[in-house]
């Protein structure tokens, strides 16, 4: 379970540079944000710290209310739980229906996460490019591919197999995910989106079902 940032860490996030996500704070604050997945330390000197996509989401949300989680839960007579924006994840398809998983608020959340990911690409690639996946995406293949699809407006599948929509799944192959979508035109549209997002994509056929699917890998150059 993701650790909740402290009020001091929230203030550091809220004060981040709006364009680059560059952070200023004590070593302890910055290390705490890295531990929570909200910041990363740039590998090149001067080794500044920058927001990750999750950190950008909290910043855009205003840092979330600076009140203890336990107090907020007590006022609503519910058990303490992490704030939803602190555990944001793109929909990979097949999740149970969740309130707030669609609509304008979700759209803003997804687009903000995508912009944060592009900034993460720019800051971690030596040439500052944003046209290919970064190290974070290579270590979170399913989530990264799903974010590219959801941010482009593709519809994730619901819990029912016959409802249509994309499903992103891990594969035994290194650095590759499978994307399933029963509608052929929608599957090809998913391929185009991933290619624009810097992924290498090939269309394949499952031996038993004969269903078409995509195999996508992050492009390296």
């Amino acid at each position: 379970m993701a650790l909740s940032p402290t009020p001091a860490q929230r203030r550091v996030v809220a004060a981040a540079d709006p364009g680059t996500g560059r952070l200023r704070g004590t070593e302890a604050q910055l290390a705490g944000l890295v531990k929570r997945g909200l910041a990363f330390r740039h590998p090149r000197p001067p080794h500044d710290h920058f927001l990750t996509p999750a950190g950008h989401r909290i910043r855009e949300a205003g840092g979330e209310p600076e009140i203890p989680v336990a107090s907020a839960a007590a006022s609503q007579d519910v058990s303490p739980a992490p704030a939803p924006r602190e555990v944001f994840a793109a929909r990979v398809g097949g999740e149970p229906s969740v309130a707030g998983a669609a609509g304008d608020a979700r759209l803003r959340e997804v687009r903000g996460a995508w912009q944060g990911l592009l900034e993460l690409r720019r800051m971690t690639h030596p040439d500052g490019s944003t046209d290919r996946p970064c190290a974070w995406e290579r270590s979170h293949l399913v989530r990264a591919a799903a974010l590219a699809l959801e941010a482009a407006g593709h519809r994730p599948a619901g819990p029912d197999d016959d409802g249509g929509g994309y499903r992103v799944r891990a594969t035994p192959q290194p650095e590759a995910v499978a994307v399933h979508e029963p509608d052929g035109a929608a599957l090809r549209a998913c391929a185009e989106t991933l290619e624009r997002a810097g992924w290498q994509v090939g269309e394949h056929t499952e031996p038993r079902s004969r269903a078409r699917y995509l195999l996508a890998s992050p492009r390296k150059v």
Side-chain angles (χ1 to χ4, degrees), residues 11 25 81 101 139 154 177 193 203 214:
R11 288 192 289 271
S139 62
H154 295 278
V177 296
T193 290
E203 191 170 334
L214 304 176

Side-chain angles (χ1 to χ4, degrees), residues 22-193:
R22 187 177 183 180
L23 294 164
R24 296 293 186 190
T26 67
E27 289 189 9
Q29 289 170 338
L30 296 174
L33 290 172
V34 171
K35 182 178 180 180
R36 287 160 173 78
L38 302 178
F40 69 95
R41 184 173 181 265
H42 200 284
R44 290 180 292 167
H47 301 297
D48 286 329
H49 288 71
F50 298 85
L51 292 175
T52 63
H56 277 284
R57 285 304 314 138
I58 288 183
R59 180 189 168 279
E60 291 174 4
E64 294 286 339
E66 292 188 3
I67 56 176
V69 174
S71 299
S75 67
Q76 300 176 25
D77 195 27
V78 295
S79 300
R85 294 183 187 276
E86 295 170 11
V87 293
F88 169 82
R91 296 191 63 194
V92 302
E95 301 95 335
S97 299
V98 179
D104 292 342
R106 176 65 182 183
L107 182 61
R108 288 193 297 270
E109 188 172 54
V110 173
R111 287 179 174 174
W114 176 248
Q115 290 302 314
L117 184 56
L118 291 180
E119 183 61 22
L120 185 59
R121 289 182 179 186
R122 188 180 74 82
M123 296 307 304
T124 56
H125 284 145
D127 60 358
S129 65
T130 61
D131 62 351
R132 64 185 185 277
C134 61
W136 182 90
E137 292 169 272
R138 296 179 188 282
S139 62
H140 301 80
L141 293 171
V142 172
R143 291 172 58 188
L147 177 56
L149 292 173
E150 190 176 1
H154 295 278
R155 182 172 65 88
D160 298 327
D161 291 338
D162 58 353
Y166 69 79
R167 294 172 185 265
V168 184
R169 297 293 183 263
T171 73
Q173 300 187 38
E175 289 206 351
V177 296
V179 179
H180 303 270
E181 163 61 77
D183 182 86
L187 183 67
R188 289 187 291 274
C190 287
E192 293 174 358
T193 290

